[in-house]
Amino acid sequence: MDREELVSIITEQVISQLQQMAKVAPADHRNKKIPLGISNRHVHISAEDLATLFGKGAQLTKLRDLSQPGQFVSEQMVTLVGPKGVIEKVRVLGPVRKKTQVEISISDCFKLGVKAPIRDSGDLEGSAPITVVGPVGSVTLPEGCIIAARHIHLHPADAEIFGLKDGDRVNVKCSGPRGIIFTEVLARVNENYRLEMHLDVDEANAASLRNGDLLEIV
């Protein structure tokens, strides 16, 4: 065996070892930990409302990608108007959805004078009314404003690791000087999801959490 063949064999062995390490690294790295994503107020918008707010033929312009595959922050911003106040420069997230959904925090509710219920995303029936104002027009939603319930996005491979299925509810612990256990956290499993727990700004601030902090199911 010449030197070139020996180098080739060793290289193949190293590559094989690295590939095997890569396969097990995610579970080992996570060690049953879930990274946190903190959600600020935002709007998911329908195609019809997009046209009303930004003009006929308007399309969302990507500013940057979000952690969940296919989801992004757009350059478009709107103003939220409630009975007691307004909140300006609220980001619209893409892609467009079938129905417009406004997600705010409890603190935002006080400022706007809106009684938004805590709901899972997409559960809009009977939720709070709100007016959304864009540069071209405005839309008054009879329902559609919610406080997003805490939840975890999981790919099916992650769900298998954690022993969860779509729709399960779990308790999640964060450590530190303001450690807390978040109860009734919804597990959402989908091929298009990436492992991440979502809290709104109020909840994250209450526990002194930051984006990327690791949480644990208990």
Side-chain angles (χ1 to χ4, degrees), residues 6 31 42 52 61 81-82 112 119 130 134 151 202 210 214:
L6 179 60
N31 192 27
H42 59 271
T52 300
T61 304
V81 181
L112 293 168
R119 294 282 185 84
I130 196 165
H151 58 277
D202 282 358
R210 297 180 180 180
L214 299 177

Side-chain angles (χ1 to χ4, degrees), residues 14-203:
V14 170
I15 291 175
S16 177
Q17 290 175 348
L18 290 174
Q19 289 175 337
Q20 291 300 317
M21 290 173 62
K23 290 179 180 179
V24 301
D28 181 62
H29 174 71
R30 285 192 294 262
N31 192 27
K32 296 273 181 132
K33 301 286 187 177
I34 302 170
L36 174 66
I38 302 172
S39 297
N40 200 355
R41 66 183 75 95
H42 59 271
V43 175
H44 299 283
I45 198 167
S46 68
E48 180 181 1
D49 290 342
L50 177 63
T52 300
L53 298 177
F54 294 93
K56 186 177 180 180
Q59 294 185 352
L60 294 178
T61 304
K62 183 189 293 187
L63 180 64
R64 65 179 182 274
D65 288 319
L66 289 169
S67 58
Q68 295 305 310
Q71 307 295 306
F72 61 89
V73 177
S74 78
E75 293 183 357
Q76 283 83 352
M77 292 186 288
V78 296
T79 297
L80 303 181
V81 181
K84 292 185 178 180
V86 303
I87 297 179
E88 300 178 325
K89 297 182 178 180
V90 178
R91 287 287 180 185
V92 178
L93 304 188
V96 295
R97 293 192 176 185
K98 292 181 179 179
K99 296 186 69 174
T100 296
Q101 175 174 297
V102 177
E103 296 183 30
I104 61 176
S105 68
I106 292 177
S107 296
D108 293 334
C109 287
F110 294 137
K111 183 172 184 178
L112 293 168
V114 171
K115 295 182 179 180
I118 298 172
R119 294 282 185 84
D120 297 330
S121 181
D123 182 9
L124 304 180
E125 185 176 355
S127 58
I130 196 165
T131 297
V132 183
V133 181
V136 173
S138 65
V139 174
T140 297
L141 303 173
E143 58 185 19
C145 183
I146 65 171
I147 300 166
R150 54 185 72 134
H151 58 277
I152 304 171
H153 290 279
L154 303 102
H155 185 274
D158 297 313
E160 184 175 354
I161 291 172
F162 287 94
L164 297 175
K165 63 181 183 300
D166 188 57
D168 282 349
R169 302 273 177 174
V170 296
N171 296 336
V172 179
K173 176 184 176 181
C174 73
S175 302
R178 303 192 75 180
I180 193 171
I181 293 178
F182 296 100
T183 62
E184 292 296 307
V185 182
L186 174 67
R188 305 184 65 189
V189 182
N190 189 286
E191 289 281 351
N192 297 318
Y193 289 163
R194 180 176 295 164
L195 181 64
E196 189 174 56
M197 176 167 167
H198 284 179
L199 297 174
D200 69 22
V201 172
D202 282 358
E203 290 186 297

